[in-house]
Amino acid sequence: MQEVFKLLPKMLRQEGKEEELTEAVVFAAWRRVAGEGLREHAVPFRVYHQTIIIAVADENWKKHLEKLSGQMLFRLNGALGQQTVTFIEFRIDEKTVVAERERLHRENISQFERDRVAMKNVPENVLKAAEKIDDEGLRRSFLLAAGSALARKTRQKR
């Protein structure tokens, strides 16, 4: 994923860039800068000129994020590799925020289900081999990759 984010500045510098591409790149950078904690409370809505418009659920979120906007703007442009955005506008739009929460929830459930299926397909000998991997995150990634590959192979045989 890191490699993808390293491409963002290059994508923005392309000649003849489209507004939709710029918006998509800025949205991706915003989600990365906002992080997990803000993702369902501060939803990128639109990029207009050099302003990113962020939907928030209520006045409290708006006031709180406005206080942090300078810091977030700095981090956003840092992630983009250039000063693409000059202002962050927070708008109260509960409908957009609720829709994003629902989308994230569906995404999390489907990821949970994919992981469950993958882990179910890991044979005992692979589980034993994985015990030798000290790093828990690496061990989990290894098991998920192995389980996903075996599940896919089983589906192809059908």
Side-chain angles (χ1 to χ4, degrees), residues 91-146:
R91 288 189 187 169
I92 298 171
D93 183 351
E94 186 177 7
K95 185 177 172 182
T96 297
V97 173
V98 168
E100 179 69 1
R101 284 181 188 156
E102 290 171 355
R103 187 190 69 76
L104 289 170
H105 181 70
R106 283 190 308 273
E107 195 174 274
N108 287 340
I109 288 173
S110 63
Q111 182 61 51
F112 175 79
E113 182 60 23
R114 283 192 299 270
D115 290 355
R116 187 188 68 71
V117 168
M119 292 302 271
K120 193 171 110 176
N121 281 281
V122 177
E124 191 64 37
N125 64 332
V126 175
L127 283 170
K128 283 208 178 291
E131 289 174 3
K132 296 177 183 172
I133 302 172
D134 292 330
D135 183 297
E136 283 185 47
L138 184 59
R139 183 180 330 116
R140 179 171 166 67
S141 293
F142 168 76
L143 289 171
L144 287 172

Side-chain angles (χ1 to χ4, degrees), residues 38-55:
L38 281 181
R39 203 165 282 157
E40 63 181 47
H41 300 288
V43 181
F45 180 74
R46 183 157 188 242
V47 175
Y48 183 73
H49 296 290
Q50 291 185 298
T51 297
I52 183 171
I53 301 167
I54 304 296

Side-chain angles (χ1 to χ4, degrees), residues 5 8 14 16 19 43 101 132:
F5 283 100
L8 294 180
Q14 283 183 345
E19 284 183 33
V43 181
R101 284 181 188 156
K132 296 177 183 172

Side-chain angles (χ1 to χ4, degrees), residues 4-17:
V4 173
F5 283 100
K6 288 179 183 177
L7 292 174
L8 294 180
K10 291 178 184 174
M11 292 172 72
L12 284 174
R13 285 191 288 266
Q14 283 183 345
E15 298 268 340
K17 61 185 178 245

